[in-house]
Amino acid sequence: MEKDNLRTEDARPHFYKIIYGEDIKQHMRIPPDFMKYLPQEMPNTATLTGPSGSHWRVSVKNDANGTYLQKGWKEFMKENKLGGNEFLTFRYDGNMLFYVKIFDPSGDKRQEPSVFGNRDGKQDRGGPKKRSVGSLDLHVLQFQGSEEGSGQSSRIGDKLFTSGTPHFMASMTKSNVENPFLLRIPQSFSAAAQFPPSKRKVVLRDSAGKAWDVICLHDKGGHYLSGGWRFFARCHNLKLGDVCKFELVNIDEIQVHVL
C-alpha cells in the first residue's frame, strides 16, 4: 500500500472516511496527503457520484485546517441515509470527480441508496440494495486486517491494502484528538506485538520517518497510547474522523500512516 493514500486494483487514487461524529455531518475534510492528486488551483466545486450513478455537486473550501467538501455535503449525507458509522471509499477520477462506495457497519456494500438525487434536484425512491462482502467488522473506533491481527490482507469489497505485519486502523474520536488524548490499542494487536500487561514506552514513526516517544498504558481494558500521543496528534493536525493505520514494524515500534 502507498503510505499516503489507498489504491484499488485499478490504480486510481482512493481515500476513505468513516461517518462518525458531528463534524463530518456538516462537512467532509479531504485527507492532507491526498491533496497532491488534486489541481493546484483548486476549483470551487466537486462532483460526487453515488452507488446509484446519481450525482451531487458540492462546494470546496480551503481554510487553515485543510480542504473541505461543504455546501451540498449535507444533502449527500441525507439522501444516502448516512450518519450511522458507515464506511465510504472515494475514488478520484480526475477533474474533481469522485466515485463513492458506501459500506454499512455490517460490511454490506450498498448498490444504491434508498433516496438519491441528481443534477436537476429531483429524487428517485426505492429500497436500498446491499451485497455482502464478508464478515468485516467496521467498528467505530478501529478495525483490523484479521481477527488475530496477524497481518492478513484487509478487504472491503476491492483490495484496499495488504500488509505483512500486525496492524490496525483507527478513526479519530473526540477522546483521541482532544482531552484526555487517549487512543485504545486493540487487544489482538497488543497480543501480536507481545505487549506485557504493564506501562511501557513505544515509538511511533510517521510517514516522513520522524520518531515520537509515546507512553503506552495498561489497565483492565487493555493498552492505550497516552503521554506523547497528544503531541503526535497535534503535530500531525489530526481531526475528528481522520483515519490512521498503525503497523508494527519492530519491537515497540509502530509505523503510523495518516490516510
Side-chain angles (χ1 to χ4, degrees):
M1 185 190 82
E2 295 287 336
K3 293 183 178 180
D4 48 9
N5 75 294
L6 296 174
R7 291 184 180 273
T8 61
E9 293 168 346
D10 66 10
R12 281 176 284 189
H14 286 63
F15 69 90
Y16 61 86
K17 289 286 183 180
I18 298 175
I19 303 300
Y20 174 74
E22 293 301 316
D23 281 358
I24 200 167
K25 296 178 182 178
Q26 306 302 318
H27 54 215
M28 196 276 291
R29 182 177 182 238
I30 298 175
D33 286 345
F34 197 84
M35 294 300 297
K36 65 184 180 182
Y37 297 105
L38 305 183
Q40 287 188 338
E41 294 185 6
M42 185 65 63
N44 294 324
T45 61
T47 300
L48 306 179
T49 300
S52 66
S54 298
H55 307 287
W56 288 262
R57 191 174 298 277
V58 296
S59 67
V60 180
K61 183 178 180 180
N62 292 288
D63 63 25
N65 294 318
T67 302
Y68 294 85
L69 301 183
Q70 289 198 323
K71 186 177 180 181
W73 172 251
K74 290 172 67 174
E75 286 73 16
F76 177 83
M77 290 269 296
K78 179 180 178 180
E79 293 171 10
N80 284 280
K81 294 188 178 293
L82 300 176
N85 304 329
E86 296 86 2
F87 185 98
L88 275 58
T89 65
F90 293 78
R91 185 189 73 205
Y92 184 53
D93 292 338
N95 297 319
M96 297 304 290
L97 302 175
F98 295 88
Y99 177 72
V100 185
K101 292 182 180 180
I102 302 172
F103 299 85
D104 290 318
S106 62
D108 287 336
K109 176 182 175 183
R110 292 190 193 175
Q111 291 185 308
E112 63 182 59
S114 54
V115 181
F116 46 84
N118 53 43
R119 289 192 181 93
D120 298 325
K122 298 179 181 179
Q123 296 178 345
D124 298 319
R125 299 181 181 271
K129 298 180 181 179
K130 302 177 181 179
R131 178 170 61 87
S132 177
V133 295
S135 57
L136 177 66
D137 179 16
L138 293 183
H139 192 279
V140 64
L141 294 183
Q142 64 272 325
F143 60 93
Q144 298 157 228
S146 67
E147 292 184 356
E148 299 304 323
S150 60
Q152 297 177 8
S153 296
S154 294
R155 297 186 65 85
I156 303 176
D158 298 322
K159 183 173 71 175
L160 295 183
F161 64 84
T162 301
S163 176
T165 58
H167 59 271
F168 70 97
M169 302 183 74
S171 174
M172 296 297 104
T173 66
K174 187 173 182 179
S175 63
N176 299 153
V177 296
E178 299 178 14
N179 286 329
F181 283 95
L182 292 173
L183 189 140
R184 180 179 177 272
I185 298 175
Q187 292 183 357
S188 53
F189 182 88
S190 296
Q194 300 182 347
F195 286 170
S198 60
K199 178 180 175 181
R200 66 191 297 101
K201 184 178 76 173
V202 299
V203 174
L204 301 184
R205 193 171 296 278
D206 64 17
S207 297
K210 185 175 180 179
W212 308 74
D213 290 338
V214 175
I215 298 299
C216 183
L217 300 178
H218 180 268
D219 64 16
K220 63 181 181 180
H223 290 90
Y224 299 81
L225 296 181
S226 180
W229 167 252
R230 177 200 301 261
F231 193 37
F232 181 94
R234 285 184 169 175
C235 287
H236 290 83
N237 198 30
L238 294 180
K239 304 293 184 184
L240 191 70
D242 285 348
V243 177
C244 297
K245 176 186 175 184
F246 297 80
E247 181 178 11
L248 185 69
V249 295
N250 210 334
I251 297 175
D252 292 337
E253 182 177 340
I254 300 172
Q255 180 81 38
V256 184
H257 306 282
V258 181
L259 303 173

